[in-house]
Amino acid sequence: MRRFVSVVVVAVTSGLEIPVVSRRTGISYLPSSAVSRAKAGNKIEKTKLAKDPTNAWSDLHAYAAAIRSGELSIEEVEAGDANIRLKWAGLLSRFKKTPGKFMMRLRTPNGIVCAKTLRAYADAIEPHGGVMDITTRQNVQLRRLPLEAAADLVRELHSNHNATSFQSAMDNVRNVVGSPLGEHDLVDTRPFCNALNDLVSLNPETGERGNPRWGNLPRKFNIAVSGGRDDFAHARINDIGLEPVPRGDEMGFNVVVGGYFSIKRVASAVDLDLWIPADVNVVLDLCSAILEIFRDEGARGDRQKARLMWLVEEYGIPAFRARVLEKAEGLPHDAAQRWEDDYGSRRELLGIHPTHVGVHVPVGRLSVDEMRLLADLADDHSNGELRLTVEQNVLFPNVKSPDALVRRLTDRLAVDPGHIKGHTVSCTGAQFCPLAIIETKHLAERVSARLDDLVSTDRPVRIHYTGCPNSCGQVQLADIGLMGAPARRLDPISGKTKAVPGVNVYLGGDVGESFTLVTEPVLKGIPIDDEDDLVDKLADLVVEHFQGVRRHH
Ligand code: SRM
Ligand code: SF4
C-alpha cells in the first residue's frame, strides 16, 4: 500500500492511503454548536463530518498520481470523494452523462480572464474533446476532464496563472460577480471582487489556494458587487449584494442580503438599511462578518432552508443588521442611501462602444478553436484581457481598433447578433447536468436564431432557459423564462396523452433598477418536443408583450 509524504494523519479510502494535510481543516473553524447541529444534520453535513472535504485539495493530487501509476482506476475512487468532496476542488463528476469525466468549475473574479489562461483551459480540454461554458456567474466551466488532467490543470493554474478551481462548488462561496465594465463603471468592482475572491479561496497562513476558514458553510453562498445602476452583476439575487450609491460626495454601497433561487423558494434580497463606504477593507470586513454568522449559526438540517435568507428572517432585519455590526466591530456605516433621480434605460453591453467591444457567445458555449480565437483577439486588441458577463458573453476592454477586431470574428461570434439571439441565456441542461429535466443549450441556440428571423423588435428581449427548478438560468428575472417541467401531449393515434419534454413559462422579470423577480409561471407544462410549435408560441409572446412584429418572408 502506498504512503504520501507531508501528512500527519492518514485516511484509508478505496484501498488507497490518502494524505490529510497538517494545516487546519474546515471543521476546525466551526464552533461546537455548529458541529452539534451538523452531527444531527442532513446527509451532506454528515459526509463533511466523516471526512473533511477541505482535504480534497490534496486528495485530488493523490488520486491523480495513483490513477496515473495504474494503482487505482477512476471507478475505484470512493463515491463520497468522487461525487461530493472533490467539488471542494471544483471538480463535479459528470459520470451519468460522460462516464469517468469531470466538469471543472473555475473561479473568475469579476469575470476577468487573460488570454494566457484561456489558452491553458483550451490546452487542458482539447485532448479530451471538451468544451468551455461561460456561466451565469460570469465564470468558466470546462467539460470532459479526466481527474489526472484536472489535477495537472490545477497545478498549472496555481503555479502560473494566479487562478484556481478551489471552493467553486458545494458549500462554498461561489464566483464573486462584478461589473464587466470595470474601470468604466461608476465603481470599478475589480479590486473588490479580487479581494473577496482571495478572502474566500486563499489561505492567509500558507499562501496556498483553498481557505479552510470558509470551507464548511451550511450551503452555497453568492456575493455580487454591482458597479453601477445598470446592475450588470445582478446584486439582488445574491446572498450578499452591494449596490453603489453615494453619500454626498462619497461613493459607497447599500447592502442587500438573502437573495436566492431554489426549487422550493425564490427570494429577492432584502435591504439591510446599511450603507458602507466603497473601500476594499470595509467590504472585506462586512462580508467576513456575514459569512461568519452564516457559517456558525446557519441551519444544517433541511438544505432547502439553509440559505442565508432563512437566517436573516429568523433574526428579523434590524436584529440581523445589529448582529453584523456587532461582529464587524467599528465598521464605518450609515443608513441606506438613495438616488435622487430616475436612471432611465439600461446600457447595452454587446457591440462596439468607446469603452469596449461586446461579443455574443451563443448560450455561453465555446469550442477549443473559439477559445483560441478569443485569446488571440485579446492579445492583439485588449492587452490580453477578456471579461465575461452573467449573460454568458465576452467583452474586450479598451480596444483601439474595434473594426479590425470585428473583422476577425466568425459568423457564430458576433457583435450584432439580433435582439433575441443576443439576449438568450441558458443553463447547462441535460447534455451534462444530472439534475436536468430537459436539454437546454442546443434548443436555446436553435430557437433564438429562428425567432430573430421570425419577429423583429425594437428592443432586446431577454429569453432565459433553465433545465430544472433550481433555475441556474435565472428564468425568474428574464423577459421570458422557460423552465424544464413535465408536460403531456395528446397522441392522435391512441387518443391518449403521453409524457413529453416541457417547460413552465415565466413572463415579465426585469434587471437593473427596475429589478423584478417573477415567482410564478404564467403557463405550465407546455410541450417542447415540437420545436416549430415552440418557436411559434414564443413569437406570439414577443408580439403580444414586447411590441414584436412578425416578419413576412
Ligand atoms: Fe446552479 C446546482 C450549474 C448558476 C442555483 N448548478 C447546480 C449544479 C451544480 C447541479 C449539479 O450537481 O450538477 C449544476 C452543474 C451543471 C453543469 O454540469 O454545469 C449547476 N449553476 C450552474 C451554472 C453552470 C449554469 C450555467 O449554465 O451558467 C451556473 C454556474 C455558476 C458559477 O459559475 O458558479 C449556475 N445556480 C446558478 C444560479 C445563478 C446565480 O448564481 O446567479 C443559481 C440561482 C441563484 C442561487 O444560487 O441562489 C443556481 N444551482 C442552483 C441550485 C439551487 C440552490 C438552492 O439554494 O437550492 C442548485 C442545486 C443545489 O445547490 O442544491 C444548483
Ligand atoms: Fe442543471 Fe437544473 Fe441548474 Fe440547469 S437549472 S444547470 S438543469 S441544476
Side-chain angles (χ1 to χ4, degrees):
M1 197 171 278
R2 183 166 164 183
R3 214 159 243 292
F4 295 92
V5 288
S6 53
V7 302
V8 288
V9 192
V10 174
V12 180
T13 174
S14 312
L16 184 79
E17 289 183 6
I18 293 285
V20 178
V21 286
S22 54
R23 59 161 170 70
R24 286 183 73 175
T25 52
I27 295 165
S28 77
Y29 284 89
L30 300 185
S32 56
S33 55
V35 175
S36 302
R37 278 181 294 108
K39 277 185 184 153
N42 60 59
K43 201 175 124 221
I44 302 286
E45 289 300 329
K46 287 176 183 153
T47 306
K48 292 193 288 186
L49 285 177
K51 187 171 147 198
D52 198 308
T54 59
N55 286 330
W57 302 332
S58 35
D59 293 359
L60 167 65
H61 296 294
Y63 272 131
I67 291 172
R68 231 180 249 117
S69 70
E71 209 174 324
L72 195 79
S73 72
I74 187 69
E75 292 76 24
E76 289 170 313
V77 173
E78 192 201 314
D81 285 347
N83 299 323
I84 299 175
R85 292 188 200 91
L86 281 172
K87 289 182 180 171
W88 267 255
L91 290 190
L92 284 77
S93 63
R94 303 290 83 171
F95 297 173
K96 215 167 136 187
K97 308 284 177 164
T98 50
K101 302 290 173 58
F102 290 83
M103 174 268 277
M104 183 191 264
R105 181 182 285 164
L106 283 305
R107 300 191 65 87
T108 313
N110 211 125
I112 294 178
V113 189
C114 65
K116 179 179 147 195
T117 307
L118 190 56
R119 285 198 194 93
Y121 296 155
D123 292 347
I125 56 177
E126 187 173 38
H128 314 288
V131 288
M132 171 178 145
D133 287 329
I134 302 172
T135 77
T136 52
R137 294 195 69 76
Q138 64 180 181
N139 194 12
V140 171
Q141 290 190 170
L142 304 174
R143 303 277 171 198
R144 294 202 171 97
L145 278 171
L147 188 139
E148 316 85 274
D152 286 346
L153 181 56
V154 163
R155 277 220 172 86
E156 167 68 13
L157 293 176
H158 288 190
S159 309
N160 300 321
H161 299 261
N162 190 25
T164 191
S165 58
F166 286 5
Q167 289 172 284
S168 57
M170 280 302 277
D171 300 347
N172 286 293
V173 180
R174 299 301 165 83
N175 191 45
V176 185
V177 176
S179 168
L181 290 183
E183 67 278 40
H184 303 298
D185 217 339
L186 203 55
V187 174
D188 184 351
T189 56
R190 295 173 301 169
F192 296 95
C193 292
N194 282 332
L196 286 166
N197 185 59
D198 284 350
L199 171 79
V200 297
S201 74
L202 194 65
N203 187 329
E205 278 151 33
T206 65
E208 292 169 341
R209 283 290 165 190
N211 187 351
R213 184 175 172 209
W214 307 118
N216 192 331
L217 301 178
R219 201 65 166 92
K220 72 188 292 193
F221 197 93
N222 293 330
I223 305 179
V225 187
S226 200
R229 297 174 75 178
D230 306 284
D231 189 17
F232 293 125
H234 294 172
R236 286 196 175 244
I237 57 167
N238 282 261
D239 296 280
I240 301 178
L242 301 180
E243 301 184 324
V245 51
R247 181 184 63 178
D249 292 339
E250 190 182 10
M251 187 43 84
F253 297 109
N254 281 344
V255 182
V256 298
V257 292
Y260 83 109
F261 295 167
S262 75
I263 288 183
K264 292 266 168 69
R265 180 180 174 192
V266 172
S268 176
V270 292
D271 208 323
L272 259 198
D273 192 15
L274 179 66
W275 178 92
I276 54 167
D279 174 284
V280 170
N281 288 324
V282 174
V283 165
L284 288 177
D285 287 348
L286 171 94
C287 291
S288 302
I290 297 178
L291 275 171
E292 200 166 313
I293 296 167
F294 179 60
R295 183 194 65 195
D296 296 351
E297 301 175 26
R300 289 180 186 260
D302 182 354
R303 281 178 73 80
Q304 287 299 331
K305 296 184 175 172
R307 296 292 295 269
L308 180 70
M309 180 59 106
W310 295 84
L311 189 60
V312 173
E313 286 176 340
E314 214 178 294
Y315 267 98
I317 293 172
F320 187 76
R321 182 182 52 244
R323 180 83 181 101
V324 172
L325 292 174
E326 176 192 45
K327 198 52 114 182
E329 208 190 325
L331 189 86
H333 69 279
D334 203 339
Q337 306 295 303
R338 295 280 165 254
W339 289 99
E340 306 277 300
D341 55 338
D342 287 336
Y343 180 58
S345 26
R346 211 164 174 247
R347 286 172 291 175
E348 175 60 75
L349 286 177
L350 293 179
I352 298 175
H353 302 269
T355 49
H356 69 275
V357 174
V359 175
H360 177 238
V361 177
V363 294
R365 168 100 9 120
L366 288 167
S367 68
V368 164
D369 286 348
E370 288 170 333
M371 291 162 79
R372 293 205 172 112
L373 170 67
L374 294 181
D376 290 348
L377 292 176
D379 272 340
D380 295 346
H381 295 281
S382 58
N383 205 17
E385 186 185 335
L386 299 111
R387 298 183 189 167
L388 312 179
T389 72
V390 296
E391 288 86 14
Q392 305 175 314
N393 298 315
V394 169
L395 305 193
F396 293 88
N398 307 313
V399 177
K400 289 204 180 70
S401 322
D403 293 338
L405 185 157
V406 170
R407 270 198 299 277
R408 289 170 63 191
L409 290 170
T410 59
D411 284 349
R412 186 168 181 266
L413 306 176
V415 283
D416 52 356
H419 275 162
I420 294 176
K421 192 172 156 191
H423 297 84
T424 296
V425 168
S426 172
C427 84
T428 304
Q431 186 186 7
F432 295 109
C433 181
L435 306 182
I437 299 171
I438 57 163
E439 197 283 312
T440 49
K441 277 204 192 277
H442 297 290
L443 175 78
E445 190 169 350
R446 284 192 308 268
V447 167
S448 63
R450 288 181 63 187
L451 276 172
D452 268 325
D453 282 345
L454 203 62
V455 273
S456 70
T457 60
D458 56 11
R459 52 154 284 192
V461 182
R462 297 171 307 108
I463 307 189
H464 288 216
Y465 294 69
T466 209
C468 82
N470 284 310
S471 204
C472 306
Q474 311 157 328
V475 293
Q476 293 88 347
L477 50 69
D479 288 323
I480 302 174
L482 305 181
M483 175 188 284
R488 301 194 73 79
R489 190 184 279 285
L490 185 69
D491 180 352
I493 300 168
S494 68
K496 292 184 182 156
T497 61
K498 59 172 186 174
V500 292
V503 289
N504 290 342
V505 180
Y506 291 72
L507 198 62
D510 208 348
V511 285
E513 284 204 341
S514 44
F515 178 84
T516 311
L517 268 195
V518 178
T519 53
E520 291 299 323
V522 288
L523 299 168
K524 281 188 165 179
I526 304 298
I528 56 163
D529 55 333
D530 179 343
E531 217 164 286
D532 293 342
D533 188 37
L534 174 65
V535 170
D536 206 46
K537 282 200 170 71
L538 287 172
D540 282 346
L541 288 176
V542 173
V543 169
E544 202 177 324
H545 299 277
F546 303 96
Q547 297 83 47
V549 177
R550 279 201 185 246
R551 297 181 206 270
H552 296 287
H553 290 288

